[in-house]
């Protein structure tokens, strides 16, 4: 641990960079452009507050990276009079620098904060964070079910058993055929049954979590907005809740392009001099939300003639995959307009970014 015992001038702002890890935190304190403290600290929020008291009554600003530790430390620091910022880690990458330590990371955070060069992530409220878990737990359970399905199929393949797999979700009749498979060895039979039981149990948990999500959608904060979103072709209850819970306050996106960029449905660009080349979508944000919008776009082109025409035109020039991604972007922006206006959607052929 390194300590720099210097007198802090009255009225100066103290900038604190916190590099968080499970076993220890590293803290760097900068004031007037000088490092006045740099060292490891126990990973306990209460001890961190006691540590920061030494720099009062000066104004204290702190920053840490978004990720594993969520926003509980942010709420604790702000509630204690410390102005806290949570910054996205993807914007702190240094290309060409092959030395990365906790000390350097915390120093970089404090330095960039003092120079006002950091961006802050949007912080959802405690209620929204709690409601998100209903959606995210369902996604986790569905991922677990896919992994169990893969284990079942790989086990059948390993023992040379061939059975026609249905495309998409497993049907009840297909699962009953799996139950009818007979193994000569009792140990093998019991082991395979345990896999099938795990699959059935996950199905039960997913149904419970889906019902919980439906109850949340029918509650006062969401029922009207869900009704508006479901009036958009292709948007169902699950996709509507995805948009509401993962995006939060839609008014924070002042322009349609900001929302598209946040979700990752904006094309990347590689330009130099006179050469301008547009690449694939940036894929920023949550991949689950893009997957839901893409799935909704396939349904939307069957119900909406305008979106179908957009898809067919782009499919002819750029291919089906790029065409459906473009439709997903339009669908997202249409949902934004519906939420902002509070009315059912109106076809706007001349305004693709409505």
């Amino acid at each position: 641990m390194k300590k720099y015992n210097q007198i802090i001038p009255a009225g100066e702002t103290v900038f604190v960079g916190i590099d968080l890890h499970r076993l220890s935190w590293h803290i760097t304190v900068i004031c007037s452009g000088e490092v006045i403290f740099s060292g490891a600290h126990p990973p306990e929020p209460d001890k961190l507050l006691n540590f920061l008291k030494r720099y009062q009554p000066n104004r204290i600003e702190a920053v840490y990276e978004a990720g594993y530790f969520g926003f509980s430390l942010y709420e604790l620091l702000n509630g204690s009079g410390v102005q806290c910022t949570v910054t996205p880690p993807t914007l702190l990458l240094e290309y060409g620098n092959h030395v990365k330590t906790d000390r350097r990371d915390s120093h970089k955070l404090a330095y960039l904060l003092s120079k006002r060069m950091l961006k802050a992530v949007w912080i959802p409220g405690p209620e929204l964070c709690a409601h998100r878990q209903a959606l995210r737990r369902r996604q986790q359970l569905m991922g677990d079910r896919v992994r169990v399905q893969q284990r079942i199929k790989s086990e059948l393949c390993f023992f040379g058993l061939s059975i026609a797999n249905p495309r998409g979700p497993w049907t009840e009749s297909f699962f009953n055929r799996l139950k009818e498979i007979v193994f000569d060895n009792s140990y093998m039979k019991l082991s395979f049954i345990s896999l099938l039981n795990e699959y059935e149990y996950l199905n039960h948990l997913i149904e419970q979590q889906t019902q919980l999500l439906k109850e949340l959608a029918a509650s006062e904060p969401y029922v009207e907005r869900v009704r508006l979103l479901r009036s958009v072709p292709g948007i169902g209850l699950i996709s509507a809740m995805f948009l509401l819970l993962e995006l939060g306050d839609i008014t924070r996106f002042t322009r349609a392009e900001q929302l598209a960029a946040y979700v990752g449905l904006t094309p990347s660009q590689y330009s130099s001099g006179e050469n301008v080349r547009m690449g694939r979508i940036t894929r920023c944000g949550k991949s689950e939300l893009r997957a839901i919008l893409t799935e909704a776009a396939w349904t939307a082109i069957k119900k909406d003639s305008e979106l179908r025409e957009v898809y067919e035109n782009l499919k002819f020039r750029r291919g089906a995959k790029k065409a459906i991604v473009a439709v997903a972007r339009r669908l997202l922006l249409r949902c934004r307009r519906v939420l902002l206006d509070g009315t059912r959607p109106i076809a706007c052929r001349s305004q693709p970014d409505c």
Side-chain angles (χ1 to χ4, degrees), residues 31-313:
C31 183
S32 302
E34 298 290 333
V35 177
I36 60 176
F37 177 88
S38 178
H41 196 274
E44 300 176 22
D46 293 338
K47 291 185 178 180
L48 176 62
L49 289 179
N50 292 332
F51 168 79
L52 294 178
K53 287 180 180 178
R54 70 178 67 178
Y55 302 111
Q56 294 175 344
N58 293 66
R59 174 185 172 86
I60 303 175
E61 296 186 23
V63 61
Y64 68 92
E65 294 176 295
Y68 175 77
F69 291 90
F71 305 113
S72 58
L73 182 59
Y74 166 88
E75 295 172 357
L76 180 65
L77 291 176
N78 275 344
S80 303
V82 178
Q83 182 178 341
C84 184
T85 299
V86 183
T87 190
T90 54
L91 300 181
L92 297 175
L93 299 176
E94 289 188 42
Y95 296 98
N97 185 2
H98 300 287
V99 179
K100 184 184 184 301
T101 63
D102 296 346
R103 181 183 64 83
R104 286 191 174 214
D105 289 344
S106 65
H107 179 273
K108 180 168 58 177
L109 287 169
Y111 174 78
L112 294 177
L113 181 64
S114 67
K115 298 299 181 180
R116 308 298 180 188
M117 297 173 63
L118 288 179
K119 291 186 177 181
V121 300
W122 179 74
I123 308 297
E127 185 179 48
L128 180 59
C129 284
H131 291 171
R132 278 180 173 178
Q133 290 309 111
L135 177 69
R136 294 181 178 181
R137 186 70 66 241
R138 181 179 182 274
Q139 292 301 111
Q140 291 169 354
L141 290 171
M142 291 181 68
D144 293 339
R145 184 174 65 180
V146 169
R147 282 186 283 274
V148 172
Q149 287 176 312
Q150 291 172 342
R151 292 191 189 108
I152 293 173
K153 290 190 290 186
S154 63
E155 195 155 308
L156 292 176
C157 183
F158 183 81
F159 287 97
L161 298 174
S162 177
I163 183 170
N165 295 325
R167 299 187 62 180
W170 285 1
T171 61
E172 184 177 354
S173 60
F174 175 75
F175 187 70
N176 290 333
R177 288 168 59 195
L178 292 177
K179 289 182 177 180
E180 295 172 357
I181 296 178
V182 178
F183 292 94
D184 296 333
N185 188 286
S186 60
Y187 294 101
M188 180 61 212
K189 176 182 178 180
L190 294 174
S191 299
F192 187 71
I193 289 176
S194 68
L195 267 181
L196 299 182
N197 291 339
E198 185 178 0
Y199 175 82
E200 280 189 307
Y201 180 62
L202 287 172
N203 274 338
H204 174 66
L205 292 180
I206 291 172
E207 290 177 3
Q208 285 186 332
Q209 205 65 27
T210 302
Q211 184 60 37
L212 184 64
L213 197 60
K214 289 180 179 179
E215 293 176 6
L216 181 62
S219 62
E220 183 59 33
Y222 303 103
V223 60
E224 180 59 25
R225 289 182 292 169
V226 168
R227 184 186 67 82
L228 288 171
L229 286 174
R230 295 190 71 177
S231 65
V232 178
I235 301 297
L237 186 142
I238 300 298
S239 52
M241 291 302 292
F242 245 102
L243 290 166
L244 294 175
L245 294 175
E246 295 297 349
L247 296 180
D249 184 11
I250 200 69
T251 59
R252 63 192 177 101
F253 302 102
T254 57
R255 295 181 296 110
E257 292 79 6
Q258 287 181 333
L259 176 58
Y262 179 83
V263 178
L265 291 175
T266 299
S268 56
Q269 182 174 344
Y270 305 89
S271 302
S272 179
E274 299 178 354
N275 299 321
V276 178
R277 182 168 67 89
M278 306 304 292
R280 297 179 177 179
I281 57 173
T282 59
R283 297 182 181 178
C284 298
K286 298 176 176 62
S287 58
E288 295 89 351
L289 183 55
R290 288 194 302 275
I292 284 289
L293 287 168
T294 303
E295 183 178 348
W298 285 112
T299 304
I301 61 175
K302 299 175 183 178
K303 299 180 178 180
D304 188 282
S305 58
E306 179 185 340
L307 293 178
R308 182 70 188 185
E309 183 178 348
V310 171
Y311 171 75
E312 293 295 344
N313 290 337

